[in-house]
Amino acid sequence: MKVTAAAIRKTLEALADRDAALFAQRFFKTGAGEYGEGDLFRGIRVPVLRKLSLTLDESPLQEVILLLSSEFHEDRLLALLLLMRRFIRGKEQDQERIYRIYLANTRFINNWDLVDISAAHLVGRFLQFRDRVPLYRLACSVSLWERRIALIATLHFIRQGEFEDTLALAELFLDDKEELLHKAAGWMLREVGKKNGPVLEDFLLRHYRRMPRVMLRYAIERFPEERRSHFLKGMA
């Protein structure tokens, strides 16, 4: 039997939890003027969605794309999980198609958790042995979420011991106005430091005095207390 987006939505409706949905709408800042303004939640936890995704591998790709355009956050998250599973199993041409679908639908990848769960897997992994120019196009976008996709995609490179793009994008975002970009940059810098401490130290010594405070705090989170204090006091 063909698995449709409508059928998947009915399954998700049955899993909905009103109290959890109200909590999620507060947690993900869905109020007027907040970064997730207007987003709707069903109240389904990520482990439940991951388990459900294991049963939906036969969903037609077009139905997954329809699910990705849903007004409900969990529907979009499930669609991304399905794209990730399909990407991992796919051949090169399948992976390229999914990568292009992802970039054509970034307007639906519109909160930090949706970006963070998918960007490294579907953008970073695809670009591992390809030109990285698409990252810098995303980084120049007016969309906060596309800029965050560019940065989080580099987590895949960091895991392979490659830091150049992460550092370049973190530097580019030093003057960005969005705190969610500062947090993401600090997180990626911290991941660089886990792999290569001297690379992170060198970046920090060149930029820490002008880094947004939250970016710096995230980046030095694993430093010894005294060293962390020196950076925060501008004495490194």
Side-chain angles (χ1 to χ4, degrees):
M1 183 178 67
K2 183 178 179 181
V3 182
T4 65
I8 296 172
R9 287 194 187 102
K10 284 188 178 296
T11 299
L12 292 169
E13 287 170 9
L15 294 169
D17 181 316
R18 184 176 179 277
D19 290 339
L22 291 173
F23 173 82
Q25 285 176 209
R26 292 191 298 271
F27 181 78
F28 285 102
K29 308 295 183 184
T30 63
E34 295 182 308
Y35 61 74
E37 181 176 355
D39 204 355
L40 298 177
F41 285 77
R42 296 189 188 276
I44 307 171
R45 297 174 60 242
V46 174
V48 175
L49 294 172
R50 286 191 182 276
K51 185 175 180 179
L52 179 59
S53 73
L54 302 180
T55 71
L56 297 170
D57 283 342
E58 301 307 315
S59 306
L61 185 56
Q62 192 57 43
E63 298 298 320
V64 177
I65 296 170
L66 283 174
L67 190 65
L68 183 58
S69 67
S70 172
E71 63 184 342
F72 285 99
H73 190 98
E74 291 91 343
D75 300 21
R76 302 196 301 279
L77 179 51
L78 178 59
L80 291 171
L81 292 172
L82 293 174
L83 289 176
M84 289 161 58
R85 287 182 57 77
R86 192 177 296 255
F87 184 96
I88 291 170
R89 302 192 316 272
K91 297 179 180 179
E92 184 174 349
Q93 61 267 31
D94 301 317
Q95 293 181 341
E96 181 171 2
R97 186 181 182 193
I98 292 167
Y99 162 79
R100 297 196 182 284
I101 287 169
Y102 185 87
L103 291 187
N105 288 278
T106 54
R107 64 192 180 279
F108 303 120
I109 307 165
N110 57 353
N111 215 313
W112 58 264
D113 64 318
L114 302 178
V115 172
D116 294 359
I117 206 168
S118 61
H121 294 280
L122 298 181
V123 179
R125 187 183 295 271
F126 181 76
L127 295 178
Q128 175 69 51
F129 302 109
R130 294 177 172 86
D131 195 318
R132 309 285 170 81
V133 167
L135 294 181
Y136 295 88
R137 286 199 291 265
L138 289 167
C140 294
S141 172
V142 297
S143 164
L144 159 63
W145 307 118
E146 289 192 344
R147 300 199 304 278
R148 188 167 174 122
I149 285 170
L151 191 54
I152 302 302
T154 70
L155 180 57
H156 181 76
F157 310 150
I158 294 169
R159 289 168 175 163
Q160 313 309 311
E162 298 179 26
F163 314 123
E164 181 179 350
D165 292 296
T166 304
L167 300 179
L169 290 171
E171 184 172 358
L172 184 64
F173 292 140
L174 288 174
D175 298 316
D176 199 282
K177 303 302 182 185
E178 295 285 353
E179 185 178 69
L180 282 174
L181 261 296
H182 303 162
K183 290 180 177 180
W187 170 26
M188 291 301 99
L189 289 171
R190 186 174 71 236
E191 294 301 313
V192 169
K194 291 179 184 178
K195 286 283 189 178
N196 191 315
V199 168
L200 174 57
E201 285 264 357
D202 177 71
F203 181 89
L204 291 174
L205 290 172
R206 286 186 286 116
H207 298 296
Y208 81 98
R209 292 183 186 276
R210 61 178 286 232
M211 287 175 73
R213 198 70 166 175
V214 70
M215 186 189 297
L216 178 60
R217 285 187 177 278
Y218 272 55
I220 63 175
E221 193 173 75
R222 293 169 58 90
F223 281 23
E225 184 176 350
E226 184 176 5
R227 185 67 172 144
R228 194 165 63 244
S229 177
H230 286 164
F231 273 107
L232 292 172
K233 292 177 180 178
M235 301 164 53

Short mmCIF file of all heavy atoms in Angstrom, two decimals, residues 151-173:
data_model
loop_
_atom_site.label_atom_id
_atom_site.label_comp_id
_atom_site.label_asym_id
_atom_site.label_seq_id
_atom_site.Cartn_x
_atom_site.Cartn_y
_atom_site.Cartn_z
N LEU A 151 26.54 26.94 8.38
CA LEU A 151 27.47 26.72 9.48
C LEU A 151 27.40 25.30 10.03
O LEU A 151 28.42 24.63 10.20
CB LEU A 151 27.19 27.74 10.58
CG LEU A 151 28.19 27.87 11.71
CD1 LEU A 151 29.60 28.13 11.17
CD2 LEU A 151 27.78 29.01 12.63
N ILE A 152 26.18 24.82 10.29
CA ILE A 152 26.03 23.49 10.88
C ILE A 152 26.45 22.41 9.90
O ILE A 152 26.90 21.33 10.31
CB ILE A 152 24.59 23.27 11.38
CG1 ILE A 152 24.20 24.33 12.42
CG2 ILE A 152 24.44 21.88 11.98
CD1 ILE A 152 25.11 24.38 13.65
N ALA A 153 26.32 22.67 8.61
CA ALA A 153 26.78 21.69 7.61
C ALA A 153 28.24 21.35 7.81
O ALA A 153 28.66 20.22 7.55
CB ALA A 153 26.55 22.24 6.21
N THR A 154 29.03 22.30 8.30
CA THR A 154 30.47 22.06 8.45
C THR A 154 30.79 21.11 9.58
O THR A 154 31.95 20.68 9.71
CB THR A 154 31.24 23.38 8.65
OG1 THR A 154 30.95 23.93 9.95
CG2 THR A 154 30.91 24.41 7.57
N LEU A 155 29.80 20.76 10.40
CA LEU A 155 30.05 19.77 11.44
C LEU A 155 30.54 18.46 10.82
O LEU A 155 31.38 17.76 11.40
CB LEU A 155 28.78 19.54 12.26
CG LEU A 155 28.86 18.52 13.40
CD1 LEU A 155 29.96 18.89 14.40
CD2 LEU A 155 27.51 18.40 14.11
N HIS A 156 30.03 18.14 9.64
CA HIS A 156 30.50 16.92 8.96
C HIS A 156 31.98 17.04 8.63
O HIS A 156 32.74 16.07 8.79
CB HIS A 156 29.69 16.68 7.69
CG HIS A 156 30.11 15.44 6.96
ND1 HIS A 156 29.77 14.17 7.38
CD2 HIS A 156 30.90 15.26 5.86
CE1 HIS A 156 30.30 13.27 6.57
NE2 HIS A 156 30.98 13.91 5.64
N PHE A 157 32.42 18.20 8.18
CA PHE A 157 33.84 18.39 7.85
C PHE A 157 34.70 18.30 9.11
O PHE A 157 35.79 17.72 9.09
CB PHE A 157 34.06 19.75 7.18
CG PHE A 157 33.15 20.04 6.03
CD1 PHE A 157 32.80 21.35 5.73
CD2 PHE A 157 32.64 19.03 5.23
CE1 PHE A 157 31.96 21.64 4.67
CE2 PHE A 157 31.80 19.31 4.16
CZ PHE A 157 31.45 20.62 3.88
N ILE A 158 34.21 18.91 10.19
CA ILE A 158 34.96 18.87 11.45
C ILE A 158 35.22 17.43 11.86
O ILE A 158 36.32 17.08 12.29
CB ILE A 158 34.19 19.62 12.56
CG1 ILE A 158 34.08 21.11 12.25
CG2 ILE A 158 34.87 19.42 13.92
CD1 ILE A 158 33.13 21.88 13.15
N ARG A 159 34.21 16.60 11.72
CA ARG A 159 34.35 15.19 12.10
C ARG A 159 35.39 14.47 11.24
O ARG A 159 35.92 13.44 11.66
CB ARG A 159 32.99 14.50 12.00
CG ARG A 159 32.02 14.94 13.09
CD ARG A 159 30.60 14.49 12.82
NE ARG A 159 29.71 14.84 13.93
CZ ARG A 159 28.39 14.87 13.84
NH1 ARG A 159 27.79 14.57 12.67
NH2 ARG A 159 27.65 15.19 14.89
N GLN A 160 35.66 15.02 10.06
CA GLN A 160 36.70 14.45 9.19
C GLN A 160 38.05 15.13 9.41
O GLN A 160 39.01 14.86 8.68
CB GLN A 160 36.29 14.60 7.71
CG GLN A 160 34.87 14.20 7.37
CD GLN A 160 34.50 12.83 7.87
OE1 GLN A 160 35.23 11.87 7.66
NE2 GLN A 160 33.34 12.72 8.52
N GLY A 161 38.12 16.04 10.37
CA GLY A 161 39.37 16.73 10.66
C GLY A 161 39.62 17.93 9.76
O GLY A 161 40.75 18.41 9.66
N GLU A 162 38.57 18.47 9.13
CA GLU A 162 38.69 19.64 8.26
C GLU A 162 38.02 20.84 8.94
O GLU A 162 36.85 20.76 9.31
CB GLU A 162 38.00 19.39 6.92
CG GLU A 162 38.61 18.26 6.11
CD GLU A 162 37.86 18.07 4.80
OE1 GLU A 162 37.25 19.05 4.31
OE2 GLU A 162 37.86 16.94 4.29
N PHE A 163 38.76 21.95 9.05
CA PHE A 163 38.26 23.07 9.84
C PHE A 163 38.13 24.37 9.05
O PHE A 163 37.56 25.34 9.55
CB PHE A 163 39.18 23.31 11.04
CG PHE A 163 39.55 22.06 11.78
CD1 PHE A 163 40.88 21.71 11.97
CD2 PHE A 163 38.56 21.22 12.28
CE1 PHE A 163 41.22 20.55 12.65
CE2 PHE A 163 38.89 20.06 12.96
CZ PHE A 163 40.23 19.72 13.15
N GLU A 164 38.68 24.43 7.86
CA GLU A 164 38.81 25.69 7.14
C GLU A 164 37.47 26.39 6.94
O GLU A 164 37.34 27.60 7.19
CB GLU A 164 39.47 25.44 5.78
CG GLU A 164 39.66 26.71 4.96
CD GLU A 164 40.35 26.44 3.62
OE1 GLU A 164 40.84 25.30 3.42
OE2 GLU A 164 40.39 27.37 2.79
N ASP A 165 36.46 25.65 6.50
CA ASP A 165 35.16 26.29 6.23
C ASP A 165 34.47 26.71 7.52
O ASP A 165 33.83 27.78 7.56
CB ASP A 165 34.27 25.34 5.42
CG ASP A 165 34.81 25.12 4.02
OD1 ASP A 165 34.87 26.09 3.25
OD2 ASP A 165 35.20 23.99 3.70
N THR A 166 34.59 25.93 8.56
CA THR A 166 34.00 26.32 9.84
C THR A 166 34.60 27.63 10.32
O THR A 166 33.87 28.55 10.73
CB THR A 166 34.26 25.23 10.91
OG1 THR A 166 33.75 23.98 10.45
CG2 THR A 166 33.60 25.61 12.22
N LEU A 167 35.91 27.74 10.25
CA LEU A 167 36.58 28.96 10.72
C LEU A 167 36.22 30.15 9.84
O LEU A 167 35.98 31.26 10.35
CB LEU A 167 38.09 28.74 10.73
CG LEU A 167 38.60 27.61 11.64
CD1 LEU A 167 40.11 27.50 11.53
CD2 LEU A 167 38.18 27.82 13.08
N ALA A 168 36.15 29.94 8.54
CA ALA A 168 35.81 31.04 7.63
C ALA A 168 34.40 31.54 7.87
O ALA A 168 34.15 32.76 7.89
CB ALA A 168 35.97 30.58 6.18
N LEU A 169 33.47 30.63 8.09
CA LEU A 169 32.09 31.03 8.32
C LEU A 169 31.92 31.66 9.70
O LEU A 169 31.18 32.64 9.86
CB LEU A 169 31.16 29.82 8.16
CG LEU A 169 31.01 29.32 6.73
CD1 LEU A 169 30.25 27.99 6.72
CD2 LEU A 169 30.30 30.33 5.86
N ALA A 170 32.61 31.12 10.69
CA ALA A 170 32.55 31.73 12.03
C ALA A 170 33.05 33.16 11.98
O ALA A 170 32.48 34.06 12.61
CB ALA A 170 33.35 30.90 13.02
N GLU A 171 34.11 33.38 11.23
CA GLU A 171 34.64 34.75 11.09
C GLU A 171 33.63 35.63 10.36
O GLU A 171 33.41 36.79 10.73
CB GLU A 171 35.96 34.72 10.33
CG GLU A 171 36.63 36.07 10.22
CD GLU A 171 38.03 36.00 9.63
OE1 GLU A 171 38.50 34.89 9.33
OE2 GLU A 171 38.65 37.07 9.48
N LEU A 172 33.00 35.09 9.34
CA LEU A 172 32.00 35.84 8.59
C LEU A 172 30.84 36.26 9.48
O LEU A 172 30.26 37.34 9.30
CB LEU A 172 31.49 34.98 7.43
CG LEU A 172 30.50 35.61 6.45
CD1 LEU A 172 31.16 36.76 5.70
CD2 LEU A 172 30.00 34.56 5.47
N PHE A 173 30.50 35.42 10.45
CA PHE A 173 29.34 35.70 11.31
C PHE A 173 29.68 36.49 12.57
O PHE A 173 28.80 36.68 13.42
CB PHE A 173 28.66 34.38 11.69
CG PHE A 173 28.00 33.67 10.53
CD1 PHE A 173 28.07 32.29 10.42
CD2 PHE A 173 27.31 34.38 9.57
CE1 PHE A 173 27.47 31.64 9.36
CE2 PHE A 173 26.70 33.74 8.51
CZ PHE A 173 26.78 32.36 8.40
#
